[in-house]
Amino acid sequence: MTTDWTPLRSELQVWREAGLTLPLWWRDDDAIAPSRQLDRLVGLSSRTGLPVHLAIIPRDASQDLVDQVANQTSLVPVVHGWAHQNHAPEGEKKSEFRLHRPLASIVSDAHHGFLRLQESFGDRLCPMFVPPWNRIAPEVTAELAEIGYQFLSTATPRTHAEAAPGLTQVNTHLDPIDWRGKRGLADPNALIAKTASMLQDRREGRADPTEPFGVLTHHLVHDQQIWDFTEALLDCLMAGPTRVWSAGPH
């Protein structure tokens, strides 16, 4: 199958002609330790000039990972739940931060995740909470700002700029992996068409044009096709009228 980038390039050209700029960001989930895949992620980030908000699982984060992130300005550490542990009963979608346990226990896990990574990274830690599987109960969301979080990141276009008072919502929008199928690369032309359609929705007022457009990756499970598509996607977007967005220190 030939990958056709024309729909996305054409939409970006419309943006350019209209004098519009797309805020762009990148999130990668499930980091716990250094790996060759993480090295490749860093290399791609450095080449494209787009920082990676690295969602780190606090309970399992190794000191070696802390050391690596500390030495890479292209990596922005964020909090990925607590243990990436599913608490949903059989038959329900996986989640760690929906109300399958007492609320106090759930909020305590979110707090411990923040404290653990704050102790590891200090001021380098970005106060962003990324719930595993992008699922979180509103009752938990309402408590995050009090803990110290400033951002919540899940998936799909946001409906409000704030998830709760004092908590900015910044979601991801395109994940190239076919999670419901063979867990390889989804149909690349469908991914391109979806991206172009989401940008058109922003341009025509059906979605929030100010929300940073988020690319979501999972470096630990990438095969060569996923890496190749991700690189081509980032190159295409960065060649458009885009502005790099980061929640990390500026």
Side-chain angles (χ1 to χ4, degrees), residues 4 32 77 83 105 134 142 144 157 216 247:
D4 182 10
I32 55 174
S105 297
N134 292 305
L144 293 179
L216 174 59

Side-chain angles (χ1 to χ4, degrees), residues 147-186:
I147 292 171
Y149 290 105
Q150 297 175 23
F151 301 92
L152 172 66
S153 181
T154 57
T156 72
R158 70 187 183 190
T159 55
H160 298 90
E162 283 194 326
L167 189 70
T168 302
Q169 184 91 48
V170 183
N171 288 348
T172 57
H173 305 90
L174 193 80
D175 181 343
I177 298 177
D178 179 16
W179 293 105
R180 297 180 181 178
K182 297 181 179 179
R183 300 172 72 89
L185 179 67

Side-chain angles (χ1 to χ4, degrees), residues 22-220:
L22 177 70
L24 178 67
W25 80 297
W26 184 2
R27 197 186 95 203
D28 185 277
D29 287 2
D30 304 341
I32 55 174
S35 64
R36 285 179 294 177
Q37 296 100 313
L38 183 57
D39 291 340
R40 185 166 184 176
L41 189 81
V42 170
L44 182 55
S45 173
S46 298
R47 189 184 71 72
T48 59
L50 187 62
V52 179
H53 295 71
L54 191 66
I56 299 170
I57 302 171
R59 187 194 68 179
D60 301 329
S62 71
Q63 185 58 46
D64 287 342
L65 176 67
V66 172
D67 294 341
Q68 179 173 6
V69 172
N71 292 322
Q72 297 289 348
T73 57
S74 61
L75 296 177
V76 180
V78 304
V79 182
H80 197 23
W82 167 246
H84 209 297
Q85 182 176 354
N86 177 33
H87 294 281
E90 188 174 352
E92 289 193 25
K93 292 182 177 180
K94 293 180 178 179
S95 67
E96 186 175 26
F97 287 87
R98 282 184 171 169
L99 298 182
H100 300 113
R101 301 176 287 150
L103 179 60
S105 297
I106 302 171
V107 173
S108 177
D109 279 354
H111 194 192
H112 284 142
F114 185 84
L115 293 177
R116 170 77 195 279
L117 294 190
Q118 189 178 53
E119 181 181 356
S120 297
F121 295 106
D123 292 342
R124 281 290 310 279
L125 179 67
C126 172
M128 173 183 284
F129 188 72
V130 178
W133 300 286
N134 292 305
R135 299 183 183 117
I136 186 169
E139 294 86 348
V140 181
T141 297
E143 302 291 332
L144 293 179
E146 185 68 25
I147 292 171
Y149 290 105
Q150 297 175 23
F151 301 92
L152 172 66
S153 181
T154 57
T156 72
R158 70 187 183 190
T159 55
H160 298 90
E162 283 194 326
L167 189 70
T168 302
Q169 184 91 48
V170 183
N171 288 348
T172 57
H173 305 90
L174 193 80
D175 181 343
I177 298 177
D178 179 16
W179 293 105
R180 297 180 181 178
K182 297 181 179 179
R183 300 172 72 89
L185 179 67
D187 179 342
N189 289 325
L191 291 170
I192 293 167
K194 179 181 179 181
T195 306
S197 177
M198 285 190 285
L199 297 193
Q200 183 178 3
D201 285 345
R202 289 165 172 249
R203 178 169 53 82
E204 297 180 349
R206 292 184 294 274
D208 184 350
T210 66
E211 181 183 15
F213 183 86
V215 176
L216 174 59
T217 56
H218 295 75
H219 67 277
L220 289 173

